[in-house]
Amino acid sequence: MTKRGLLSVLCMSGNPSQKVTLCETSGQKLLIRHRCDAVSVRKDARKRKNARQGERVPKRRRHSNDIFQPYRPDIVEDDLEGEAVDNIILLLEENGVREIYRNHWTSLRTHYREGPNHLHYTFRWYSQTDPSWEQWLRSVFSRQEKRFKLNLSHSFVLYNREADEFRFFHASKNNARVWDKPKTICRFRDINMIVDDLKAVDTLEYARQQKPNTKWTVHSVTSTTFYVDKLPDFPIGGCCFEDLMPPYVLQNKTIVPFIIDTNHHQLYDDRLCFFRCMAAHQTGTRRCVEARARALLRQWTDTSVDEFDGINLWELDGLEDVFKVDIDVFEFKYDPPCLVPHRRSSYKHGDVLHLLLVHGCHFSYISDIDAVAHAFVCERYGKQYKERKLIWHEKRCAVDEIKLYYPRGVYHPNPTPLEVLADEGVPVETDFLYPFRATYDFECYFTKSDIPTTSTAKTSYTARHVPLSVSVCSNVPGFENPKCLISYGDPQSLVDRMGDYLEEISTSAFQILRDTCFKDAFEYLETLREEDDKGRVNLKTTLLKYLSQLPVVGFNSGKYDLNVIKPYFAQRFLISEVDDCESDSECGNSLRQWGKRFVIKKNNEFMAISTPFLKFLDITNFIAPGFSYAKYLAAYEVEEQKGFFPYEYITSIEKLDETSLPPRDAFYSSLRNSELPVQNYDYIYKVWKESGMTSLRDLLIWYNNKDTRTFIEALAKQCEFYKTLGLDMLKDAVSVPGLTLRYLFKTMPRAHFFSLIREKDKDLHEELRKQIVGGPSIIFHRYHEKGITKLRGESGKAVQSLVGYDANSLYLWAISQEMPTEYPVRRRKENDFQPEVIDRYGRLSRE
């Protein structure tokens, strides 16, 4: 910027005064001293000196492309093949290890792959005793522009002593990662902490723990792979706004631009911006840095201030050594602008100076890199915050991932809403089975537009599933026939219509129950005295909440249906306001007071979603794993209705307007790699004719509705079975384990109880958890034949012998034994094994 950007201001008074003037270029306010006749702006010192001597010319302002180039350190990759690879393999001693290196060289060699969001860097081990953790992690960190999460895994060679063979153990991000939770990396000190942790761990010992059994031993670690997942919303630096000498720079209190001499109220005309930043960093203040900056210049060079031409990027390495400071350079990129690294230090000194490069030729000082970023991180969890909510969060943030609470006393499940009401004297039956429920099923069409273009060896994207229709059926009077809603092209509209219809069913079910089964309960609540108004309102709310929430059940809906409609479902049921009932409705007014929503997830599966009017469940959580829909219907003696639909033929909603049945090859399934049998196609053709279908839209309605009606029948029989156990399946829990726990305490004799561990004895809980061992019994192959089938795929060795083991049902035997109850008694060695009763009043507490 130049002084030509200053606005002249005339002063009409007769006395010297001061005037605040605005710089047109930067927007900064300048204090100009002037005489009464006109503003006097101090001339450029260097121009005035050049005019007197007549021999100097103003230096050219350097362009950013002349000096500053992006800095991304190279990672020297191993060759894929050639003489260099052969030489590395020949240095190995055992022939078996050499063979493993030849077969898996592409995996264990030093190389990297950088995708848009996921990156991995593999470094080959040259020594088993001194891995280069610091060098590797610095290389990874220096190549990142955004904050990221880091995990790692090792590849190693195993040796079987009995069979005298070697085996390669691949690194894996999913199954063999070193950390259960990835580490969040925000700054270089995070890398230093990880280096210290890795140096303190015996990697060979860690690898030994991963071996399949005691027959195998670890021969050597071959390589380590670092997995980087970018945090796209939180670049290393941050996000701001945009302009020339940008407002987001000038208005940020943690960036000191150093463009105006505040002591003399004029623009700087020299090239000392770097040394002013260094002086501010050393002194901790942005004011009165001129003398310090000039002293630092003299420490660096003998060149005078007038002749000094600024700092080149390649000179920063030397400046780090002279001033014993690490220097990171950032600049703004992208739209909206993001602060990204332009130059990374090697971090040798432990004191980091953060600089902002503006226009490629000016350094500004960053006093707080996190504040510039508007991104703050929780040190415990690594969670990012765009605003200063971190202080509020840390006060409530648990130290551990899971906060353990030791309440002492005796455990008993939370009472059901009806049990709460009965305890307060409200006339309700505690064994009442909620009689109403609804089912739903989504159908989708496949489109190849807007699918991810990236693919891996194990994953490829073939089509995108778009909601096409949904069928809803219930056993509520007036809504017993299935209703199919077809998309008009907007999935959000389809989900909204489904929500409106389900809430209409829920409201009707509420009205029926209020006027019949629970009429006496409502009349009793109205008769309570006015002084008990608060208690009456609470009891009434409990009853309303129970009656107004209709269970809505799908088959495998937690894994498929809800994931397909997830963004639209959240907008309709979890984000937007609950639709009001009728203005004078008792239901609507009360529900708005207690209407809470929650989601229960397990990995990528939705186990339950609760809204004030609906409770979405997945019936697969109440049946055995792997149970198909056909087997589920057969278990409850409900006849399955056959149906077929050309999923892959429907590529758009317009296809539904076709007026003829597609040919048999249109029913081909690439997922199952199978065609529709002729007899099944004849059945579909017969249904088309007998039902008088006129378009594929009619076939879709018939196909979508056929499952929801039979689903309601099977669901009613399943609920009746649990009623014989004193359980309301869809109201008491969200899965079988929850029902089991409630049934256990319903049937347990009152003389038995389970004491809870108190805070003082929490070490007992930790010891018990440590002693729990076991895992899944995995059968890798269902069929083997000597000399014919092979181990580990087609490339493995042929089976030479078969060994069978017959194991008793140890789990079933164990759970059939008497379990410990009542209050525990501890005996410690340090107390000469004297009995210590933890909770002698447990029985009284239960009573």
Side-chain angles (χ1 to χ4, degrees):
M1 68 186 63
T2 65
K3 293 188 180 67
R4 287 178 292 181
L6 295 178
L7 299 176
S8 298
V9 180
L10 296 180
C11 177
M12 304 306 295
S13 65
N15 298 320
S17 61
Q18 296 178 343
K19 194 72 175 181
V20 175
T21 308
L22 187 68
C23 174
E24 293 176 341
T25 305
S26 67
Q28 289 282 324
K29 293 182 179 180
L30 304 178
L31 188 61
I32 304 299
R33 303 179 188 277
H34 58 86
R35 294 187 297 270
C36 60
D37 53 341
V39 174
S40 175
V41 179
R42 182 173 298 184
K43 299 291 186 181
D44 184 358
R46 189 167 64 177
K47 288 184 178 181
R48 189 166 60 245
K49 185 175 181 180
N50 290 343
R52 289 197 305 266
Q53 296 181 355
E55 56 185 15
R56 292 181 181 171
V57 195
K59 298 185 187 297
R60 177 177 65 90
R61 192 177 184 85
R62 61 166 60 92
H63 191 268
S64 59
N65 295 333
D66 297 337
I67 300 173
F68 299 99
Q69 299 298 331
Y71 178 74
R72 289 177 66 84
D74 291 331
I75 297 175
V76 181
E77 297 184 277
D78 289 329
D79 295 334
L80 274 171
E81 56 187 9
E83 183 179 354
V85 179
D86 295 336
N87 293 335
I88 293 172
I89 295 177
L90 288 174
L91 293 175
L92 303 172
E93 297 179 359
E94 293 85 353
N95 291 330
V97 179
R98 292 176 185 173
E99 189 66 23
I100 283 180
Y101 267 70
R102 287 192 183 96
N103 295 337
H104 301 283
W105 177 252
T106 56
S107 299
L108 60 84
R109 70 186 182 91
T110 299
H111 67 285
Y112 63 92
R113 184 166 66 240
E114 297 178 329
N117 294 312
H118 306 287
L119 311 87
H120 82 252
Y121 303 86
T122 301
F123 297 93
R124 181 167 57 88
W125 280 44
Y126 298 94
S127 169
Q128 294 297 308
T129 59
D130 188 23
S132 306
W133 298 122
E134 192 169 0
Q135 176 186 345
W136 296 342
L137 285 168
R138 282 186 173 183
S139 300
V140 172
F141 179 78
S142 299
R143 296 183 67 85
Q144 310 310 316
E145 291 186 347
K146 299 181 178 181
R147 301 185 179 195
F148 59 94
K149 292 195 174 185
L150 179 72
N151 213 326
L152 66 117
S153 180
H154 304 294
S155 298
F156 44 87
V157 176
L158 297 174
Y159 174 66
N160 191 316
R161 300 172 183 175
E162 296 183 1
D164 190 25
E165 64 174 336
F166 292 91
R167 172 180 166 189
F168 184 66
F169 188 95
H170 282 275
S172 172
K173 182 179 180 181
N174 296 322
N175 301 325
R177 58 185 183 271
V178 173
W179 303 314
D180 292 334
K181 288 186 61 177
K183 309 289 187 181
T184 301
I185 307 301
C186 303
R187 53 186 68 83
F188 190 76
R189 74 182 184 191
D190 300 330
I191 292 293
N192 289 333
M193 294 172 61
I194 290 176
V195 170
D196 294 339
D197 292 341
L198 292 176
K199 287 182 177 179
V201 174
D202 187 348
T203 306
L204 287 175
E205 180 60 31
Y206 170 81
R208 291 188 187 99
Q209 297 174 5
Q210 310 304 313
K211 60 185 181 180
N213 51 55
T214 56
K215 296 180 181 180
W216 294 90
T217 183
V218 178
H219 177 272
S220 59
V221 180
T222 60
S223 61
T224 296
T225 302
F226 297 95
Y227 301 97
V228 172
D229 297 311
K230 296 180 181 179
L231 299 176
D233 293 335
F234 298 96
I236 299 178
C239 304
C240 298
F241 309 97
E242 59 176 32
D243 211 342
L244 187 55
M245 182 62 173
Y248 51 78
V249 174
L250 296 172
Q251 297 171 6
N252 196 309
K253 296 181 180 180
T254 59
I255 298 179
V256 186
F258 284 126
I259 56 176
I260 296 174
D261 184 354
T262 56
N263 293 332
H264 300 90
H265 312 289
Q266 64 181 20
L267 301 174
Y268 285 118
D269 57 359
D270 53 37
R271 305 269 180 163
L272 299 185
C273 55
F274 172 82
F275 295 101
R276 292 188 180 95
C277 295
M278 178 68 74
H281 180 71
Q282 291 181 348
T283 61
T285 179
R286 63 183 69 187
R287 298 183 179 276
C288 303
V289 297
E290 285 304 302
R292 182 67 176 171
R294 291 173 184 267
L296 293 171
L297 173 65
R298 291 192 296 270
Q299 187 178 346
W300 168 249
T301 180
D302 295 331
T303 308
S304 66
V305 174
D306 292 335
E307 295 177 350
F308 181 64
D309 201 30
I311 293 295
N312 295 311
L313 187 63
W314 54 266
E315 294 178 294
L316 294 180
D317 291 332
L319 287 161
E320 288 184 334
D321 295 332
V322 170
F323 297 110
K324 306 301 180 185
V325 66
D326 302 317
I327 302 172
D328 281 351
V329 180
F330 297 84
E331 64 178 343
F332 281 100
K333 287 184 178 180
Y334 312 125
D335 184 21
C338 296
L339 199 65
V340 298
H342 189 85
R343 187 260 185 193
R344 283 290 189 188
S345 171
S346 57
Y347 304 103
K348 298 179 292 185
H349 306 288
D351 181 20
V352 183
L353 168 64
H354 297 109
L355 299 177
L356 174 65
L357 181 63
V358 184
H359 301 317
C361 60
H362 180 77
F363 287 120
S364 295
Y365 174 56
I366 302 176
S367 60
D368 186 346
I369 189 66
D370 278 335
V372 174
H374 292 285
F376 303 89
V377 61
C378 172
E379 296 292 346
R380 293 169 179 166
Y381 293 114
K383 186 176 180 180
Q384 307 285 340
Y385 291 86
K386 285 184 176 295
E387 298 179 356
R388 290 187 177 271
K389 296 181 180 178
L390 181 60
I391 298 176
W392 178 89
H393 166 76
E394 286 186 336
K395 293 179 180 178
R396 296 158 176 81
C397 181
V399 176
D400 301 315
E401 181 180 1
I402 300 176
K403 185 176 181 180
L404 300 178
Y405 175 62
Y406 300 93
R408 68 185 297 165
V410 173
Y411 175 79
H412 48 81
N414 293 328
T416 65
L418 296 181
E419 290 172 346
V420 172
L421 294 169
D423 289 343
E424 296 295 333
V426 180
V428 295
E429 298 178 5
T430 57
D431 59 348
F432 175 79
L433 174 67
Y434 190 88
F436 300 126
R437 57 201 68 94
T439 60
Y440 71 102
D441 181 35
F442 270 89
E443 302 297 340
C444 297
Y445 69 90
F446 306 149
T447 176
K448 297 185 180 298
S449 62
D450 299 331
I451 62 175
T453 57
T454 57
S455 61
T456 64
K458 296 183 179 180
T459 304
S460 61
Y461 299 90
T462 58
R464 183 167 55 90
H465 292 224
V466 181
L468 178 64
S469 66
V470 59
S471 177
V472 177
C473 185
S474 77
N475 62 343
V476 179
F479 302 90
E480 296 157 312
N481 293 322
K483 181 175 182 179
C484 182
L485 306 172
I486 300 179
S487 173
Y488 302 136
D490 179 15
Q492 185 64 63
S493 173
L494 176 64
V495 175
D496 290 345
R497 288 155 54 205
M498 166 193 160
D500 294 342
Y501 185 64
L502 284 173
E503 288 180 357
E504 183 181 353
I505 297 175
S506 177
T507 303
S508 177
F510 169 81
Q511 298 289 351
I512 294 172
L513 292 174
R514 187 183 63 174
D515 297 339
T516 55
C517 303
F518 290 87
K519 183 177 181 180
D520 294 340
F522 279 101
E523 292 177 352
Y524 172 81
L525 292 174
E526 294 297 332
T527 60
L528 293 181
R529 294 178 300 176
E530 293 185 0
E531 54 265 27
D532 297 333
D533 186 62
K534 184 176 180 180
R536 178 169 59 91
V537 171
N538 292 337
L539 293 175
K540 190 174 183 180
T541 301
T542 301
L543 182 58
L544 288 172
K545 183 177 180 180
Y546 172 79
L547 296 179
S548 300
Q549 195 175 52
L550 175 74
V552 182
V553 190
F555 191 93
N556 201 35
S557 57
K559 293 181 178 179
Y560 182 75
D561 298 71
L562 292 178
N563 276 299
V564 167
I565 64 171
K566 180 164 54 178
Y568 320 111
F569 186 95
Q571 181 64 37
R572 171 60 179 81
F573 292 101
L574 304 178
I575 298 176
S576 61
E577 292 292 331
V578 179
D579 291 340
D580 293 338
C581 295
E582 295 180 359
S583 58
D584 57 346
S585 171
E586 180 181 6
C587 167
N589 294 331
S590 299
L591 286 181
R592 282 194 295 273
Q593 299 174 7
W594 58 260
K596 296 181 180 179
R597 305 166 178 81
F598 64 83
V599 178
I600 301 176
K601 285 193 68 177
K602 182 174 66 177
N603 299 324
N604 199 38
E605 175 187 356
F606 292 90
M607 295 188 66
I609 300 179
S610 176
T611 72
F613 298 97
L614 306 169
K615 181 182 180 181
F616 290 87
L617 299 169
D618 187 349
I619 198 61
T620 58
N621 293 318
F622 295 89
I623 58 179
F627 228 53
S628 66
Y629 182 68
K631 291 181 179 179
Y632 173 71
L633 296 181
Y636 292 100
E637 300 179 347
V638 176
E639 182 179 358
E640 181 187 15
Q641 298 180 4
K642 292 192 300 182
F644 309 95
F645 190 74
Y647 286 103
E648 299 184 24
Y649 179 75
I650 306 296
T651 56
S652 65
I653 296 178
E654 288 72 21
K655 285 274 189 180
L656 297 178
D657 296 329
E658 293 186 5
T659 57
S660 60
L661 184 67
R664 187 169 68 91
D665 57 7
F667 290 80
Y668 173 79
S669 173
S670 59
L671 181 63
R672 300 179 180 178
N673 193 24
S674 61
E675 295 181 350
L676 184 69
V678 176
Q679 61 270 25
N680 291 342
Y681 183 76
D682 293 340
Y683 169 73
I684 292 295
Y685 184 78
K686 180 180 178 181
V687 171
W688 178 283
K689 290 296 185 181
E690 292 180 353
S691 302
M693 297 182 183
T694 59
S695 67
L696 284 179
R697 191 179 303 272
D698 297 332
L699 180 65
L700 173 63
I701 295 173
W702 168 81
Y703 177 77
N704 204 173
N705 283 341
K706 73 177 187 65
D707 285 338
T708 52
R709 186 195 297 275
T710 54
F711 193 3
I712 280 289
E713 296 177 20
L715 200 57
K717 294 183 178 181
Q718 188 177 10
C719 291
E720 284 296 328
F721 165 75
Y722 279 104
K723 183 181 180 180
T724 62
L725 304 178
L727 300 172
D728 191 342
M729 184 182 80
L730 302 180
K731 283 287 190 177
D732 287 348
V734 298
S735 63
V736 165
L739 292 173
T740 303
L741 180 65
R742 192 167 289 277
Y743 178 72
L744 171 65
F745 281 87
K746 274 180 173 288
T747 57
M748 186 173 64
R750 290 191 58 84
H752 296 167
F753 58 90
F754 290 91
S755 293
L756 300 175
I757 297 176
R758 58 186 178 180
E759 184 74 25
K760 181 180 178 180
D761 298 290
K762 64 181 181 181
D763 61 304
L764 179 61
H765 170 258
E766 296 169 357
E767 286 298 324
L768 289 173
R769 291 294 298 267
K770 290 179 182 179
Q771 303 307 317
I772 297 177
V773 296
S777 300
I778 301 174
I779 301 175
F780 293 94
H781 297 282
R782 294 181 179 273
Y783 174 81
H784 270 305
E785 186 173 350
K786 180 181 178 180
I788 298 178
T789 59
K790 296 181 178 181
L791 297 171
R792 305 187 186 282
E794 294 299 325
S795 60
K797 297 180 180 180
V799 174
Q800 299 298 324
S801 63
L802 300 175
V803 180
Y805 294 94
D806 184 13
N808 292 324
S809 300
L810 299 181
Y811 283 117
L812 297 177
W813 171 85
I815 63 176
S816 66
Q817 305 305 304
E818 292 186 355
M819 305 298 289
T821 60
E822 303 187 2
Y823 53 84
V825 178
R826 299 189 66 176
R827 297 177 185 269
R828 309 172 192 256
K829 179 179 179 181
E830 56 270 21
N831 194 25
D832 197 22
F833 298 104
Q834 294 298 318
E836 301 176 25
V837 179
I838 291 182
D839 189 1
R840 65 175 65 252
Y841 303 105
R843 189 191 303 271
L844 296 177
S845 299
R846 187 174 190 271
E847 293 174 356

